[in-house]
């Protein structure tokens, strides 16, 4: 058991761990489906859009970086072409640019988060673009101590340098920071960079298709932010 008293900062993955992207994206595709009387699974398309865009931002050429807004645009355009869908430019724009600004926070997040802020420096350390994290945080009344988007860092997770740069900017040692996420790829990289790690399960992140895969040994694995608050406040 590590010494909890050494933890100074909590760095939070935001898309997925805190924000329910699946419901937001699938709702956008459902509107398109009804408007154009199309036959497809809004759940499947939402997950496909997510997989495509996430792959784009986590597998980047450092010399030609794109943010998550561009990744969403590219993912939706590819999806539309691959499935021979004909929709207007306005509806296309709505899918990749507007829908991702309408995401709701998971219901277990805000109250424990506000309690954790009394003890820890709480930071959004996110792959999301600045635009998306600002808009969604405001809409969900999430008041971060600091937002460090990979867009600002100009290094994208899971590159280890993103975690090291974050700790350096916070003026903490990596071991004084705890990465909180529902994705093993994020936590495994954070762990290699020296961070403490907390895995928060998200049973509906991918809708009904969600399969939680805990691919690592973390300092704590919890079912909710309420459990994480209890653990960290011990």
């Amino acid at each position: 058991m590590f010494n909890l008293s050494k933890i100074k900062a909590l760095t939070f993955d935001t898309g997925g761990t805190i924000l329910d992207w699946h419901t937001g994206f699938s709702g956008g595709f459902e509107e398109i489906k009804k408007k154009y009387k199309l036959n497809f699974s809004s759940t499947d398309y939402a997950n496909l859009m997510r997989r495509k865009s996430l792959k784009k931002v986590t597998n980047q050429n450092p010399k030609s970086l794109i943010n998550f807004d561009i990744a969403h645009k590219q993912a939706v355009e590819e999806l539309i072409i691959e499935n021979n869908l004909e929709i207007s430019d306005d509806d296309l724009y709505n899918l990749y640019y507007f829908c991702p600004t309408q995401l709701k926070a998971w219901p277990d997040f805000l109250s424990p988060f506000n309690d954790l802020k009394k003890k820890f420096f709480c930071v959004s350390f996110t792959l999301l673009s600045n635009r998306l994290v600002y808009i969604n945080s405001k809409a969900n009344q999430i008041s971060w101590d600091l937002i460090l988007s990979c867009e600002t860092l100009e290094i994208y997770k899971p590159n280890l340098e993103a975690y090291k740069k974050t700790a350096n900017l916070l003026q903490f040692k990596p071991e004084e920071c705890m990465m909180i996420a529902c994705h093993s790829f994020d936590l495994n990289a954070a762990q290699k960079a020296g961070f403490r790690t907390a895995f928060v399960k998200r049973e509906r992140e991918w809708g009904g298709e969600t399969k939680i895969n805990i691919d690592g040994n973390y300092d704590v694995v919890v079912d909710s932010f309420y459990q994480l608050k209890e653990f960290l406040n011990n």
Side-chain angles (χ1 to χ4, degrees), residues 38-220:
L38 298 172
N39 183 25
F40 60 75
S41 167
S42 298
T43 286
D44 289 349
Y45 276 29
N47 289 346
L48 184 56
M49 175 185 173
R50 171 66 170 177
R51 289 189 182 98
K52 283 177 173 289
S53 59
L54 188 60
K55 184 177 181 179
K56 291 177 185 297
V57 295
T58 56
N59 293 274
Q60 297 211 54
N61 181 341
K63 295 181 180 180
S64 57
L65 296 175
I66 62 170
N67 67 13
F68 230 131
D69 291 306
I70 301 300
H72 282 147
K73 181 177 187 294
Q74 292 178 355
V76 171
E77 289 175 342
E78 289 174 10
L79 192 154
I80 294 299
I81 291 171
E82 290 166 0
N83 293 278
N84 298 312
L85 302 181
E86 294 184 6
I87 66 175
S88 70
D89 288 343
D90 286 344
D91 287 324
L92 187 69
Y93 180 85
N94 182 67
L95 276 174
Y96 72 75
Y97 198 75
F98 181 72
C99 277
T101 68
Q102 302 297 300
L103 308 184
K104 303 298 183 184
W106 296 109
D108 70 323
F109 173 71
L110 192 58
S111 178
F113 171 75
N114 287 332
D115 286 338
L116 289 170
K117 279 186 63 182
K118 298 172 184 176
K119 183 176 179 180
F120 302 98
F121 193 59
C122 291
V123 181
S124 173
F125 175 24
T126 177
L127 289 166
L128 293 177
S129 67
N130 284 314
R131 183 184 79 97
L132 291 180
V133 69
Y134 294 162
I135 292 174
N136 283 301
S137 294
K138 280 181 175 291
N140 287 283
Q141 298 181 313
I142 304 170
S143 180
W144 299 103
D145 290 317
L146 182 66
I147 292 172
L148 284 177
S149 166
C150 290
E151 181 180 17
T152 298
L153 295 173
E154 297 185 318
I155 309 170
Y156 278 77
K157 299 187 292 182
N159 186 323
L160 298 191
E161 294 306 314
Y163 304 86
K164 293 176 182 178
K165 186 172 183 177
T166 291
N168 185 55
L169 288 172
L170 296 177
Q171 298 185 38
F172 293 132
K173 299 175 182 177
E175 60 268 27
E176 293 176 317
C177 303
M178 172 174 273
M179 187 72 218
I180 300 168
C182 66
H183 308 122
S184 282
F185 80 86
D186 196 351
L187 294 177
N188 291 345
Q191 200 170 55
K192 290 177 182 177
F195 280 49
R196 310 312 308 197
T197 51
F199 189 107
V200 180
K201 297 178 184 176
R202 284 291 175 237
E203 295 183 351
R204 299 288 300 175
E205 187 195 357
W206 298 82
E209 295 183 11
T210 303
K211 295 180 181 179
I212 297 173
N213 181 26
I214 304 174
D215 184 23
N217 295 310
Y218 310 121
D219 295 303
V220 59

